[in-house]
Amino acid sequence: MSFFTVPPKQSKALRIVNPETGTEERPVPTPPTNMVGHGVKGKSKHGAPKPKAKLAQVPWVPPPPGSTPPAFDADEHYARGFDVYAPSFVPTALRQINECPGTAVDTFPKTIIDYFQYISGLLPTSLLPALPRPTFADNPSESPFLSPQCYEKYFRSLLEVELGYQRKENASYSLYGHTGLLNFNDPNEPTVTITVPGLRENTPNVEVDDEVQLRQLRFDYGAHSESNFFPWTGYIYNARVSAVVRATETLVLRVGGITHHTAQVVTPTMIPPWPTQFVVKFNIQFLVPMARYTPMIDVLPHITESLDLAEQVLRNDFDALDSFIDEVTRNNGSARPNNKTDGLSTTNVYWKKSMLFPTEADCNSQTNIVNWLEHYNSLRFDESLNYEQRIAVDSVLCQNYGTMPYLISGPPGTGKTKTMIEIALQLVRNVPGCSHILVCAPSEPAADTLADRLSKSMNRKELFRLNRPTRDSREVLSNLLPYCYIQNDVFALPPFAQLMSYRIIVTSCRDASMLMYARLTNSDLYTVSSSLHQQIHPTLSPPPTKSARLHWSALLIDEAAQAMEPEALIPLHVVSPPLKGPSPLFTPLVIMAGDEQQLNPRTSCPCTPLQQSLFARLFKRPVYSNHPLARRLHGKDAQPPKQQYQLHPDLLPILRPPFTNLIRNYRSHPAILAMPSQLFYFDTLVAEADEQERNRLEEWAGWRGRHGRRWPILYHDNRSPDDLEAPSLSSATETTGGWFNIGEAHLACQYAASLFRSGLVMQKEICIMSPFKAQVRLIRSLIRSEMYGMMWEVNVGPTEAFQGLEHGVVILCVTRSRKRFVERDRALGWGVLPGRTGRMGRVGRENGATAGAAGGGIRNKLNVALTRAKFGLIILGSREVMMPDKEEDQNSNNKEKQEEDSDDDDDDNSEGQESGSTSQKEDANSQDNGGRHTKKKAKQEKEKDNMKETPTPCPKTAGTKGREEEEEGTEWAQIIAFCDRNGCIADSNPVSTAAPAPALARSQNGDFMLTNFHTAIASDSDRDSKCDNDGNNDNDYDSHRDRDSDRLSIQRLT
């Protein structure tokens, strides 16, 4: 019995060799021999002709699922020692070439900014403050903890580990004996064009001007034995990427120093002029692009300098206070305060610490009840903002929440970017003292989106899109090019005066380093300005205490949850006030928007604290997580949106919330939104999608349902086996390996074809996603083949690629169907099968912190997959893999209970540190219930919910049978149970009902509504009689929606 299901003569699956006998388990066709340096070309060592296998030039189209061989159990082979995760086999001769020394030939960057020349022509360099020195860990083997004292050491060690994983990952993308097209059309700049498998999915992640190392292999032109000469030319070409074409997975490399002779592409019999194009073979290695990591490393000393000064000032204050008390005691009550921090502004000194480690001391208190919208009713640039978005805008404009980052938590489809655009325009137009702001995003496309929306309200003299010189201008939107500065056909920094005149500068977090290296930060600009003023006017008295006017007034970071914390530090340092100087007239603001429940920052290390963004870490700080308006506390009681922000006089004084939770989703059908709302957002999302748009597929015959209505969700239990594709050394096959599932691929294409043939949806509105790149390639080849009507407009890609996008119909392919490999997938961060989530909403820690970190990333990936659909969601996966075993789940329950007991002990130890604000927090928790609960009840809830790092569950209520079991199940168990209870199952197989799920009920007017995810399902009449109905049709999704109304779309049971 063979291990993998493969087609004859075109197999991409691994050959299985018995480790005991060394023989293969099944016959396979002999691969083509294209090795260099072993025997005479075309013959074996004994002179016999070698068999040649022809490789197909088009993807192999497998037969339909019904005609494929039946699935079989791979556990026996796996148990006998076969490692399916082992790297692909590469002949020793080719590997040794990459280890041989040679003559290095460098290709210099085509575009580079001389920052020293830029600075020296504008600013007196002698007046610039000295750069701080880096701080290294005393013992590199020890990993420091995150704290203000060890901040630089902590992230420096993490970045060093990440660089090591990046090198290892890039090594796995190496190509051996790979074909390239050498072009001498421009003798001064020869190029090599290669095809890189996986480039479309950013594996490897290559950008313009990155280094790629080439070692050219030799050809045997004279039909001599290849063993008689060195198998490569001896030159190591450090080429530079000139162009990246991801659609065709093509790289164009600039190769300096290569000629006809060094490349050995001409023979003595060839007469000039020689050809300009040659087909050659290379060993290709992708080097780590240090330019992406250097800015993150260089900014750390600046952060350490500020944090150290804050600690020093704090210690001096305590020492001064002790000295003052002693002097008062000695002098019988008379003494003069001795302030050791004269000349330093506490606002400036503590600014960065407040931005990175905010506490309740940094937050302002509210002592009276104010109607936000009546108190600050400014002219809005976008009148379509909803209530929560207006709350966010007005809170930032009032600047009364304190000196700390203002966070906007925006689940999918809630309008995060829309809110940030309104904030940016309001700051520069209507806030006195706010002159220039910096707007950033982690990625270039996200920054382009911000600039594109701002360009509709700002002219070219007010808005500037800053790009690094190495960025290809073809990647930028054509309407944004007038807002960029281009010099010699490349992006560049504009002249100093022109740069200083822009009101808003939009760039990526990484490209903000251009401002840092050009010494255009607030600290550098103010130091030069004040020093120059003193030299020009030495007789004038020093300026008053509070007179510093800073250039940068605010920093806005959109999609902040996708930026690594060191990456977000770069623009943060640009806008930070100077350490030594008077307090600013306008203290710089920091506003971040994102969703920590979606994709984490991308890292090479599968489990690293770098995957937790600054945005996510701040939301775990007690000042945010324990606030009465926190999202995790809002999910406990069904409050109309406006009432969630109304205060009771008994709760005052209370800390002003330094955040806003967006809750209105304008993308998805309510039935689709119900699952992610419960699993990731504590039942706080409100469906606001257009009624006509969300019901477009109501007539499609493929939907299932109960109670006389079908729902736009479908789960199909797919039991076809997954398979493993082996990486290929041949450029003709262009495969990088990975898991695929033939039956599932056909099933996805069949659903897509059925949807398109119905005439209810266009091809471009359908997307098919899978977490495995091999499955993505297989589905692409199938959906674009004649078998399925050559549907080229259907969007097929990996799950991560759809972050920030939306489609009418999403077909999610789980792909994995073998339980044996699920745990390894979780450890590597693969797939969309997260580990068990307990009552605290955390990922199970079966493998320690590693499993938890990787599982958390998978959980976020699952959230992205579920929230892309607007009016149709189809899930294909094996129920055996997606539903946990009872025995395994029981073991996990016992293990997590022990972990929770341990966590409770840790919380008890730290309880004394937070006792100072206990009374205030107890009163604040009462606000979550609209003032209806007593303080005693709030205190009981607070004792359960006072966890610093993990969200808490919704409180248990009477009549919720099976609720605890549901909370302790996996996300997929709850999703499948949801589909089962509502009849959204495509097959007739029995479904486990161990985990209760939300149900779709009928309201009194005949339309559907969503009951609480946790609530036990009763009959239709029982549900209708229990629903809260105040006569305003609050439980009607199809009623008229007023964005400023108090109506809560997701109705709960009493």
Side-chain angles (χ1 to χ4, degrees), residues 669-953:
H669 190 283
I672 300 175
L673 186 64
M675 293 183 292
S677 178
Q678 158 60 24
L679 295 175
F680 308 102
Y681 302 105
F682 300 95
D683 271 340
T684 58
L685 300 189
V686 179
E688 294 280 355
D690 180 73
E691 176 186 353
Q692 183 177 2
E693 180 70 11
R694 73 192 186 193
N695 293 326
R696 282 181 52 186
L697 280 181
E698 188 176 4
E699 302 301 326
W700 184 56
W703 299 130
R704 303 289 187 269
R706 293 177 181 171
H707 311 301
R709 184 160 182 173
R710 297 176 300 175
W711 314 112
I713 303 175
L714 191 66
Y715 169 69
H716 190 113
D717 182 13
N718 173 56
R719 301 183 179 181
S720 61
D722 50 36
D723 239 329
L724 187 63
E725 176 188 66
S728 173
L729 297 180
S730 173
S731 58
T733 56
E734 298 180 3
T735 61
T736 58
W739 292 96
F740 65 97
N741 191 313
I742 296 177
E744 182 186 71
H746 277 283
L747 201 57
C749 295
Q750 291 168 8
Y751 274 116
S754 174
L755 287 165
F756 175 64
R757 286 196 299 265
S758 69
L760 301 173
V761 62
M762 296 182 291
Q763 290 187 27
K764 63 182 181 181
E765 295 179 300
I766 304 173
C767 83
I768 306 176
M769 63 176 67
S770 171
F772 296 94
K773 57 185 179 181
Q775 180 74 347
V776 170
R777 290 195 300 270
L778 176 60
I779 295 175
R780 278 200 190 118
S781 64
L782 288 177
I783 200 70
R784 297 170 182 176
S785 65
E786 294 183 0
M787 180 185 302
Y788 293 103
M790 303 178 67
M791 301 172 64
W792 283 84
E793 295 185 13
V794 174
N795 197 345
V796 183
T799 308
E800 299 89 340
F802 292 94
Q803 170 80 24
L805 304 179
E806 61 181 29
H807 283 78
V809 183
V810 171
I811 303 176
L812 172 59
C813 299
V814 177
T815 305
R816 172 64 67 208
S817 63
R818 302 180 192 267
K819 277 192 172 183
R820 170 71 69 174
F821 308 113
V822 172
E823 287 301 322
R824 185 66 182 271
D825 287 350
R826 291 170 182 167
L828 296 173
W830 294 358
V832 288
L833 296 173
R836 173 182 170 276
T837 302
R839 293 182 292 121
M840 307 300 292
R842 356 172 242 199
V843 178
R845 296 176 287 183
E846 295 86 351
N847 297 326
T850 299
I858 296 175
R859 191 170 184 268
N860 293 11
K861 195 188 306 182
L862 172 62
N863 183 27
V864 172
L866 296 177
T867 53
R868 301 304 100 191
K870 298 169 62 177
F871 44 79
L873 175 63
I874 301 175
I875 301 172
L876 311 179
S878 170
R879 179 179 328 197
E880 182 182 359
V881 174
M882 299 164 71
M883 296 285 286
D885 293 336
K886 293 183 178 180
E887 180 179 356
E888 177 185 356
D889 192 56
Q890 182 64 30
N891 295 336
S892 298
N893 287 341
N894 297 335
K895 193 164 188 177
E896 176 143 343
K897 187 175 184 304
Q898 297 175 359
E899 294 173 351
E900 290 179 6
D901 293 341
S902 176
D903 292 341
D904 292 340
D905 295 340
D906 296 339
D907 293 337
D908 293 339
N909 295 334
S910 61
E911 183 178 358
Q913 301 176 3
E914 302 179 357
S915 59
S917 59
T918 300
S919 177
Q920 185 183 32
K921 293 180 182 178
E922 291 173 2
D923 293 342
N925 275 289
S926 301
Q927 181 201 16
D928 185 20
N929 300 322
R932 295 174 298 171
H933 290 288
T934 62
K935 293 183 179 181
K936 181 178 179 180
K937 178 67 176 179
K939 182 177 180 180
Q940 293 174 354
E941 293 178 355
K942 190 264 179 186
E943 291 175 352
K944 297 178 182 179
D945 301 334
N946 190 19
M947 297 291 293
K948 288 185 178 180
E949 302 296 334
T950 56
T952 58

Side-chain angles (χ1 to χ4, degrees), residues 110-132:
K110 189 175 183 180
T111 54
I112 189 172
I113 298 179
D114 189 345
Y115 291 105
F116 180 79
Q117 182 179 1
Y118 184 87
I119 297 170
S120 59
L122 303 171
L123 303 175
T125 56
S126 59
L127 302 180
L128 289 170
L131 296 177

Side-chain angles (χ1 to χ4, degrees), residues 392-450:
V393 175
D394 294 345
S395 297
V396 173
L397 299 184
C398 289
Q399 307 171 44
N400 56 4
Y401 55 87
T403 305
M404 58 196 309
Y406 193 89
L407 307 182
I408 301 176
S409 173
T414 55
K416 297 184 295 292
T417 304
K418 181 179 182 179
T419 307
M420 296 292 278
I421 296 300
E422 180 71 18
I423 292 176
L425 294 175
Q426 289 284 355
L427 285 175
V428 298
R429 301 293 194 198
N430 299 325
V431 177
C434 185
S435 54
H436 308 274
I437 66 175
L438 182 62
V439 181
C440 296
S443 63
E444 299 294 350
D448 287 340
T449 300
L450 291 168

Side-chain angles (χ1 to χ4, degrees), residues 442-467:
S443 63
E444 299 294 350
D448 287 340
T449 300
L450 291 168
D452 181 45
R453 296 193 182 185
L454 287 170
S455 65
K456 296 177 175 59
S457 303
M458 307 193 74
N459 57 43
R460 296 171 55 183
K461 295 182 178 180
E462 298 175 314
L463 176 66
F464 176 60
R465 175 66 173 97
L466 178 62
N467 297 281

Side-chain angles (χ1 to χ4, degrees), residues 510-669:
R510 193 181 84 188
D511 290 351
S513 62
M514 299 171 63
L515 301 174
M516 180 180 70
Y517 290 132
R519 308 301 295 270
L520 300 178
T521 66
N522 268 339
S523 178
D524 294 327
L525 292 174
Y526 174 78
T527 302
V528 171
S529 175
S530 60
S531 301
L532 193 61
H533 181 273
Q534 293 177 7
Q535 291 185 7
I536 296 176
H537 307 285
T539 59
L540 294 180
S541 59
T545 305
K546 189 173 183 179
S547 63
R549 183 179 298 276
L550 304 181
H551 180 78
W552 305 104
S553 303
L555 167 65
L556 278 66
I557 304 181
D558 195 19
E559 299 294 348
Q562 299 183 44
M564 290 187 291
E565 182 160 343
E567 192 176 7
L569 296 178
I570 301 172
L572 187 73
H573 170 63
V574 172
V575 303
S576 63
L579 292 179
K580 299 179 181 180
S583 298
L585 291 175
F586 188 93
T587 303
L589 305 177
V590 175
I591 302 98
M592 291 189 284
D595 182 11
E596 68 276 18
Q597 299 298 333
Q598 295 191 64
L599 290 184
N600 296 326
R602 176 180 176 178
T603 61
S604 297
C605 180
C607 308
T608 171
L610 289 176
Q611 290 183 344
Q612 179 178 251
S613 63
L614 174 62
F615 180 85
R617 184 176 68 81
L618 289 177
F619 252 127
K620 292 181 179 180
R621 301 281 299 176
V623 68
Y624 295 97
S625 63
N626 292 340
H627 196 279
L629 295 181
R631 189 184 296 275
R632 67 185 184 91
L633 300 178
H634 271 190
K636 294 184 175 183
D637 292 276
Q639 296 285 336
K642 264 191 178 179
Q643 295 181 10
Q644 292 179 352
Y645 293 91
Q646 291 179 354
L647 294 177
H648 192 275
D650 293 341
L651 298 176
L652 300 176
I654 188 175
L655 295 178
R656 295 188 183 275
F659 62 91
T660 295
N661 294 322
L662 303 182
I663 61 175
R664 302 174 190 265
N665 179 280
Y666 298 96
R667 174 185 299 168
S668 302
H669 190 283

